[in-house]
Every structure is written in structure tokens, then in C-alpha cells.
Amino acid sequence: MKSEFGIIGLGVMGKSLARNFSSKGFNLSLFNRHVSGKEENVAKEFIKVHDELRICQGFDDLEKFVSSLETPRKILIMVNAGEAIDSVISDLLDFIQPNDILIDGGNSHYKATNRRKNKLSEANVQFVGMGVSGGEEGALKGPSLMPGCDQQAYSKIEHYLKEIAAKDYEGNPCCRFIGNEGAGHFVKMVHNGIEYAEMQLIAEIYSILRYINKIDPNNISEILTDWNRSEIQNYLLESTAIILKKKTGDDYVLDSILDQASHKGTGAWTSMAAAELGVPFTMSTAALNARFISSLKETRVKISKEIELKRDAEPLDLNSIKHAYKLARIVNHIQGFMLIESASKSYSWNIDLKNVAKVWTNGCIIASKLMIKLANNLEKDSSLIENTLMFDQVKMNYTDLKRTVSGALQGSFPIPCLSESLNYINAITQADGVGNLIQAQRDFFGAHTYKLKDDPEGPSHHTEWSK
């Protein structure tokens, strides 16, 4: 019997997704490469150890794998982004047929997805770039899925994807059609950018609570657990509370971990995309730079011996810290949605921001009560930056954010994302800034011209400044 769906790549995510699909009753063919002495009969052995996979077929021969699938074939590729994806696609082209559908479920760059889609369209093969969030557990129990492709291709895989996806707060699948071309991978990239800043914000809150307020990790965990019962509930806060409690003997596991944060590239891609589109995603970029600085461990150790800053501050009010965190998160999310909105307009993807928010309400790393609130707001208003949610939260929590940032900085503690959220609010609420001086400087040394305040849509002007 022919299988209705195929998966290539049985790493952590591929295996979890395979079990998820199979548990929903789908007949699968699974493929993993053969590497003598390292990866042999991976698919067949994997099937043996999981009862839900008993009706699946396992392969390490690509031609036989492709032949085992009913047409038009639907193949999900779960291998590392980059050359590995191109290699798999190249090999598949020897065996697949027109109208078959290839789905890239990795963290590919959206421009690479555009390129692959165009290449495969020449062979009349349909290509889907799909963001997948939720990690190993989400992939198994219900991920958040962000497919980008032609509507025709989506209609052929929609049923399968919605069956395995998490369910949102309304009981609907956390899987929506995102847009054409690389729209799905772009949205997943922005998801990761938001995630970077969310993680950094929690790290900064931890720093304040532990090193300024002198609270031990176990009690910080209790505080975060309590916060997670409120309107600022989110998956990352919950997971951090668990991390902080973990001990080996009498020692916290966290204290044994080297303070060098890694990254896989999606955060950098997000900052570069924001720069290309001229959108301020300052929170994510601040978080990315914090990771870069953390990687300079040897340099930091040397400099700390030469410049011994006094790191001491008065304990900060716990409610003020909570409110600061709440407002900073709102800024982070709004910046992310503004970036998606800009890309959608620039690339004619027609992305529905409401659908994106709903897809992110469960099954993904940035799932939260805030995301549900944003989804509800986007039902009524397509703009988040010029929205009563933003206005009301700034009015209620700005003073606490400023107080928290000021207290931490006076104690010489780095808080890049909290600081940046305050900077952003200060700038976005200032009707008249200093951009006029920047433009005058550009005109001075480069004759770049400028517009006039009382005629912003009128002609450009130039001044001979030295005459």
C-alpha cells in the first residue's frame, strides 16, 4: 500500500513530527540517509521502537522511498538549513514528478526559499517553505506551523498540517496559510527574533532579582511562577522558573553553565531583514548583540580586572520590575509585527497579522497570554503601534519601566533590552526629534538634501553650509 505522506530526515524534530503524524492515523514513509558505521537502517529501527509507527515504512534508499508514496507526493524535508536542503532537493529531482509537493520544515532563510520555489517551479514541482516552532515536545504534541506557498499547494497539505498542529485559544489549529513564496519562513524568522528578545528580557529580570535584590534562584523561581499565573504568563517564563530550581546536590545547575550564549543565525537574519526594510526591530537586535558580547568571555574577564565597576544598587520594587517586564514585552512584540507587516507590503505577500498571532498562541516558544490579547486586538485593528493596547500600557507602566532601568543602570548592570524598550518608547512618542540635525549633517558633507517641516511632500532642498 502506498503511503500518503513522506518525511525525510529523522533527527530530533523529524522523529517527533513523524510520531505526531502517525498518531493521527496517517500512513507514512520515513527516510533517513545511510552512512556506513554511523547511520544505518535509522528509519526501520525508529519504527520498531514506537508502536504508533507500526504501519509506517522505513527507507534509506531514496528512489524506493519516493516510489512508496501516492501521487501527488507530499514530502516533508527535516534536515539542516542551507546546503543540506539543496542537496536533498537535487537528489529528489531524479525521482519526483510534476505536481509533487516538497515541504521544507527547517529554519531556512526566506530568500533561499524564494530561490528554491522558483527553481522547482521550472520542473512543475510545488514547494512549501514552512516555519515550525515548538521544539521537540511541540513537534510531538502539537507545533505551531507557518506554511508559505501557493494557495493551490496549501490546499493539498492543509488537512495533514492542521491535524498535527497545536490548538489555539479558540480550539482552531495553530496552522494558517501565511502567504506566498518565503512568507512562512520570514514569519518564523521574526518569531525567532521576538524569541531572542523575550529570552534576554527574562535574563535581565533574573539579573536584577538575583544581583540587585539579592534573591536566590529558588525564590526567583517562585516569583516567576507567581507571575506566570497572571496576565504576563508565557512559555519562556514557565520554563525559566523550572531551570532556576534545578540542582545537582546542593548546587544550582545554572551556576555551573558557562555564560556564553550561542545563536544559530536566525536572530542575525531578523536584524538584517529589519535593516533592509527600514523597520526598527531594536529589541531583537539588542538581544542579539548581548549574545555577541557574552561570547567574548575571555575579553570580559581580562577587562573586568582592569576596570572594576562598583556593581551595587538599592533593591528595586518587585511590582515595578514586573510592570517594566510587561511593557518591554509589548514593545518587543509590536516591533516584530511591524516588521512582518512591512515585509508583507514590500513583497506582496498579503500576510494577515491576525492569523500570525493566532498561530503563535500555542505550540510555539513565544506562546503567551499577551499573544492572545494581540490576536484579539488585531481582530478589531490592523495596527498595533497606533492602538489603545500600546497607549494604555505605556501610560500605566512607563514610570515603572523608567524606574527599573534607572535603578539597574545606576548599579552598573547591563540591561540592553529593558533599556532599549525605554529608548524606543521615548523616541516613538516624541513628535519632534533630532532627525533634522542628522539630515543637515548629511546635506553638509554629502549634499543629500532635505525636506522642509512645513512642506514634507514638497521638493528637496540643499544649503551651501560653508558660505
Side-chain angles (χ1 to χ4, degrees):
M1 182 178 69
K2 298 279 188 178
S3 299
E4 54 189 317
F5 205 93
I7 298 178
I8 292 177
L10 296 176
V12 171
M13 291 292 287
K15 285 181 176 178
S16 292
L17 287 169
R19 292 179 62 192
N20 189 344
F21 273 110
S22 191
S23 69
K24 303 302 187 296
F26 296 123
N27 297 322
L28 303 178
S29 285
L30 308 178
F31 172 88
N32 198 83
R33 64 183 180 178
H34 179 92
V35 181
S36 296
K38 293 183 178 180
E39 297 181 49
E40 298 182 355
N41 297 315
V42 172
K44 291 180 179 178
E45 293 300 321
F46 172 55
I47 290 170
K48 287 180 183 178
V49 298
H50 295 286
D51 187 59
E52 67 267 32
L53 300 175
R54 61 188 179 279
I55 59 173
C56 297
Q57 303 179 67
F59 300 89
D60 58 10
D61 181 292
L62 192 61
E63 183 175 8
K64 291 179 180 178
F65 163 77
V66 172
S67 297
S68 73
L69 295 166
E70 62 184 36
T71 58
R73 299 175 181 88
K74 296 164 281 290
I75 302 173
L76 173 61
I77 305 171
M78 296 300 299
V79 302
N80 291 334
E83 293 180 2
I85 284 284
D86 288 320
S87 178
V88 169
I89 290 173
S90 178
D91 291 343
L92 281 169
L93 283 172
D94 292 333
F95 309 117
I96 58 177
Q97 299 172 334
N99 297 317
D100 286 349
I101 303 171
L102 302 184
I103 309 163
D104 173 12
N107 277 330
S108 292
H109 193 281
Y110 68 99
K111 290 183 179 179
T113 300
N114 292 345
R115 171 178 58 79
R116 290 168 187 138
K117 180 183 182 299
N118 292 335
K119 177 184 177 181
L120 287 166
S121 66
E122 296 173 2
N124 292 318
V125 173
Q126 300 184 80
F127 187 65
V128 181
M130 182 172 71
V132 179
S133 180
E136 180 180 4
E137 183 177 1
L140 178 62
K141 298 179 180 178
S144 169
L145 302 175
M146 296 148 260
C149 55
D150 297 333
Q151 280 278 10
Q152 182 184 19
Y154 180 67
S155 67
K156 296 176 182 176
I157 61 174
E158 180 180 8
H159 168 62
Y160 300 95
L161 302 183
K162 287 189 171 181
E163 279 296 313
I164 70 161
K167 298 296 186 286
D168 68 18
Y169 60 103
E170 296 176 324
N172 298 313
C174 289
C175 173
R176 304 287 179 99
F177 174 76
I178 298 299
N180 200 3
E181 299 178 324
H185 276 145
F186 188 94
V187 166
K188 176 54 165 57
M189 178 190 73
V190 175
H191 166 288
N192 288 16
I194 294 172
E195 178 186 309
Y196 270 51
E198 290 291 287
M199 294 170 71
Q200 178 63 31
L201 280 171
I202 294 174
E204 292 172 21
I205 297 300
Y206 160 77
S207 176
I208 291 170
L209 293 176
R210 186 165 188 185
Y211 301 114
I212 295 179
N213 286 28
K214 310 298 184 185
I215 304 173
D216 69 47
N218 189 69
N219 286 325
I220 296 175
S221 175
E222 293 298 328
I223 291 169
L224 300 189
T225 299
D226 181 61
W227 287 6
N228 213 45
R229 298 187 188 103
S230 70
E231 74 279 7
I232 61 173
Q233 176 277 333
N234 65 82
Y235 169 79
L236 285 167
L237 199 64
E238 176 187 356
S239 60
T240 303
I242 295 171
I243 290 169
L244 291 171
K245 277 183 175 292
K246 189 68 174 178
K247 283 186 173 183
T248 299
D250 294 330
D251 300 321
Y252 291 106
V253 173
L254 180 62
D255 290 340
S256 69
I257 299 175
L258 182 65
D259 61 325
Q260 288 182 308
S262 302
H263 69 102
K264 290 187 175 180
T266 50
W269 291 351
T270 309
S271 293
M272 288 187 282
E276 288 177 3
L277 292 166
V279 177
F281 201 177
T282 58
M283 296 282 288
S284 181
T285 301
L288 177 66
N289 285 327
R291 294 196 188 192
F292 291 158
I293 293 172
S294 81
S295 71
L296 303 175
K297 177 66 175 180
E298 187 176 338
T299 300
R300 288 189 288 119
V301 169
K302 289 179 180 178
I303 293 177
S304 69
K305 294 175 181 177
E306 297 296 327
I307 305 174
E308 297 183 11
L309 297 181
K310 182 181 180 182
R311 301 190 191 276
D312 188 27
E314 290 294 318
L316 301 177
D317 178 72
L318 198 57
N319 280 326
S320 292
I321 299 169
K322 179 181 179 181
H323 295 156
Y325 172 58
K326 180 180 181 180
L327 181 54
R329 292 187 64 231
I330 291 172
V331 172
N332 179 35
H333 283 70
I334 287 175
Q335 288 185 348
F337 277 97
M338 287 177 66
L339 178 55
I340 294 172
E341 182 178 34
S342 177
S344 179
K345 291 177 180 177
S346 296
Y347 303 130
S348 300
W349 285 336
N350 297 315
I351 297 174
D352 187 332
L353 296 182
K354 172 180 80 275
N355 282 343
V356 173
K358 287 186 174 183
V359 165
W360 286 348
T361 57
N362 196 15
C364 69
I365 306 301
I366 60 174
S368 67
K369 284 186 178 178
L370 171 59
M371 196 65 72
I372 295 174
K373 184 175 288 188
L374 294 176
N376 287 330
N377 271 265
L378 286 165
E379 290 269 18
K380 309 166 192 171
D381 192 339
S382 61
S383 173
L384 286 177
I385 187 66
E386 299 177 29
N387 188 286
T388 54
L389 172 65
M390 175 68 168
F391 300 158
D392 291 346
Q393 291 301 321
V394 170
K395 290 172 184 176
M396 286 190 293
N397 298 311
Y398 176 78
T399 299
D400 284 331
L401 175 60
K402 185 163 68 171
R403 183 181 294 124
T404 301
V405 169
S406 176
L409 291 180
Q410 285 178 1
S412 302
F413 289 94
I415 47 167
C417 276
L418 284 169
S419 298
E420 187 47 53
S421 67
L422 182 62
N423 287 334
Y424 181 79
I425 292 170
N426 287 344
I428 205 72
T429 57
Q430 186 178 28
D432 292 312
V434 294
N436 53 344
L437 178 57
I438 301 297
Q439 201 58 28
Q441 291 170 331
R442 295 181 74 243
D443 189 56
F444 181 92
F445 64 73
H448 292 293
T449 72
Y450 53 85
K451 299 283 188 178
L452 295 177
K453 272 187 179 182
D454 57 4
D455 190 16
E457 302 300 324
S460 297
H461 297 265
H462 170 63
T463 293
E464 295 294 335
W465 298 94
S466 298
K467 290 185 179 179

